[in-house]
Amino acid sequence: MFALIAALLFVLALVFEIAGVAVGGVITVATLGTAGLLCVALHLMGVGAGWTPLKK
């Protein structure tokens, strides 16, 4: 799930960069890129992968 979110954030960052758009002073290309990298890192860590704790 986080990989899909990261891909969408990277697409938005690319479109914003090409169009020269900035939404306010908070959401910029760098912010979207950083959020995308965070989602990729969470995906690689296995967060949201649907694993369950070990059973005894």
Side-chain angles (χ1 to χ4, degrees):
M1 186 68 180
F2 281 109
L4 178 63
I5 294 169
L8 291 174
L9 288 171
F10 288 138
V11 166
L12 279 175
L14 178 64
V15 169
F16 281 13
E17 179 68 27
I18 290 172
V21 176
V23 181
V26 177
I27 300 176
T28 63
V29 173
T31 306
L32 291 173
T34 303
L37 289 174
L38 174 66
C39 288
V40 168
L42 289 172
H43 172 74
L44 291 175
M45 280 185 1
V47 175
W51 56 274
T52 57
L54 295 173
K55 296 180 182 178
K56 291 186 178 182

